[in-house]
Amino acid sequence: MSARPLTLVLVSTPVGQLGSGRGGGVELTLASLVKGLVQRGHRLHLVAPEGSCSPVQDARVTLHTVPGVDQPSWQHAERNASMRIPCNAVLPRLWDRALELVGDGDALVNFGYDWLPLWLTPHVEPRIFHLVSMGSVSAVMDSAVADLARWDQRRLAFHTHRQADDFDLVEPPEVVGNGFDLSRYDLQLSTDGPLGWAGRVAPEKGLEDAASVAAGLGETLRVWGFVEDDAYARRVESAVPAGTIEWCGFKPTSELQRELGRCRALLNTPKWNEAYGNVVVEALACGVPVIAYDRGGPGEIIQSGETGWLVPPDDRDALAEATLSVSSIDRHACRHWVERCASQEGLAARVEAWIRKGLKPADGTIT
């Protein structure tokens, strides 16, 4: 007999509206998971900042929005900074609304990388689960994750083992990977297109390294993503010959995959431990090989020599050399990896299994 459908309250990131691009990879993860869970018959309440758009129009999904000031991202705080909640912040309002909604529901699932919901978890009756979206960037957050792991680590899941290794856990981590609606990505087999780069345009993403490689090869680098740091973008552009960077902006998936699929390679140059690497998988889904620093999630995703090349972190020369070898990668192999390991259906099944396991009775005490 199949398990009964769940009623879940999903709480979005408080750093920006869903659909704005400010939430980075969390937006894509949340959209995929909402669609996948609906396909599995679950009832969802999605709580998000005012102005957000629901990723799916379905009677089993209800969008609830609340007003408030965006929460600052931990990515841009000093490592030893204190927790900060702005006046009229959206973060506590999201959780006020979520706790009101859970009622007879089964659980809440948190997608925001924030101290408040982690702290709340042992102190409220509703079961709160956390899909941790970043690696270690804050001492406060590291402590909160470790405390919750000691209380009941079943409430925590991670995208990759490399991400989970950042934290002080008491048991082997629950790793759910990520998933994508592959019907939205078309395999393209052209191997003579431009170089591409995609992501939030901010210092931790390392765009300057990709731009330097493109400049050294005398090529144009197409850049997709929300420009989070204008001053940084200007510095990167001024450091390479005029015309090296072609700014393509933040695009919806339909446009992004069509343009990205024409690239002969995607360069991925993070300066920090990426939890997963959504743009890496989006490129692979289009058949585009990825050349990346062997750091964080991308280092766990890319099969070097089969779906792209991994090179030592921050080694621009190795990045350029690998770019010259990208024609040896079979674009069909890139797509096949995504179909096996990163489908929307697979992610939903893994997340559902994680939640059901965590709903079984267990006692825990923070020590």
Side-chain angles (χ1 to χ4, degrees), residues 24-346:
V26 173
E27 294 190 38
L28 189 59
T29 300
L30 186 53
S32 293
L33 192 52
V34 166
K35 294 173 185 176
L37 291 172
V38 166
Q39 288 173 354
R40 296 179 67 82
H42 302 300
R43 175 82 172 92
L44 308 177
H45 293 275
L46 176 57
V47 185
E50 191 173 63
S52 293
C53 302
S54 176
V56 63
Q57 300 302 315
D58 189 285
R60 289 166 292 185
V61 180
T62 304
L63 175 66
H64 307 264
T65 64
V66 297
V69 175
D70 289 349
Q71 185 70 13
S73 171
W74 280 105
Q75 284 176 316
H76 305 128
E78 295 294 329
R79 180 165 185 83
N80 292 317
S82 300
M83 172 64 188
R84 182 164 64 92
I85 299 179
C87 183
N88 299 318
V90 74
L91 174 61
R93 293 175 181 176
L94 288 173
W95 283 93
D96 279 342
R97 186 68 177 123
L99 291 169
E100 290 172 357
L101 286 168
V102 71
D104 296 327
D106 295 287
L108 299 102
V109 186
N110 170 44
F111 291 83
Y113 190 85
D114 292 288
W115 174 87
L116 178 60
L118 290 167
W119 177 84
L120 275 175
T121 303
H123 300 293
V124 297
E125 185 176 351
R127 306 278 178 86
I128 304 176
F129 294 79
H130 306 265
L131 180 50
V132 182
S133 61
M134 290 198 288
S136 173
V137 294
S138 156
V140 168
M141 288 296 294
D142 286 359
S143 178
V145 170
D147 285 347
L148 190 53
R150 287 195 297 271
W151 182 75
D152 187 354
Q153 191 176 309
R154 299 176 309 161
R155 305 294 187 87
L156 297 167
F158 303 87
H159 289 293
T160 60
H161 289 277
R162 289 193 180 194
Q163 174 203 12
D165 286 346
D166 272 1
F167 299 100
D168 184 13
L169 306 177
V170 297
E171 301 286 347
E174 185 76 36
V175 174
V176 298
N178 216 334
F180 300 78
D181 179 355
L182 298 184
S183 69
R184 304 184 68 192
Y185 298 87
D186 297 322
L187 173 63
Q188 299 188 47
L189 300 178
S190 174
T191 60
D192 58 358
L195 297 175
W197 185 97
R200 286 179 300 100
V201 180
E204 67 272 10
K205 297 293 188 175
L207 173 59
E208 65 271 21
D209 288 6
S212 174
V213 166
L217 296 174
E219 298 194 40
T220 297
L221 180 71
R222 303 201 75 196
V223 173
W224 292 272
F226 177 76
V227 179
E228 191 171 74
D229 188 328
D230 288 321
Y232 168 73
R234 290 194 298 271
R235 288 198 303 274
V236 171
E237 187 169 37
S238 66
V240 294
T244 298
I245 295 178
E246 180 182 344
W247 299 104
C248 302
F250 176 75
K251 298 286 182 68
T253 298
S254 59
E255 294 181 44
L256 173 64
Q257 68 89 25
R258 184 171 59 251
E259 297 176 8
L260 180 59
R262 299 189 185 112
C263 292
R264 78 172 189 280
L266 178 81
L267 304 183
N268 185 253
T269 51
K271 296 294 184 178
W272 70 313
N273 187 11
E274 291 274 9
Y276 187 71
N278 285 346
V279 296
V280 168
V281 180
E282 289 190 282
L284 295 177
C286 299
V288 178
V290 181
I291 303 162
Y293 289 150
D294 190 1
R295 172 183 278 146
E300 198 167 308
I301 292 169
I302 296 163
Q303 311 302 296
S304 199
E306 296 180 18
T307 60
W309 298 100
L310 293 171
V311 303
D314 309 320
D315 189 336
R316 293 182 180 182
D317 291 338
L319 195 68
E321 183 177 351
T323 302
L324 297 175
S325 302
V326 76
S327 61
S328 66
I329 301 298
D330 180 359
R331 292 172 77 99
H332 287 96
C334 298
R335 174 73 181 202
H336 290 161
W337 182 90
V338 179
E339 291 172 347
R340 291 194 313 271
C341 302
S343 70
Q344 175 179 285
E345 296 78 11

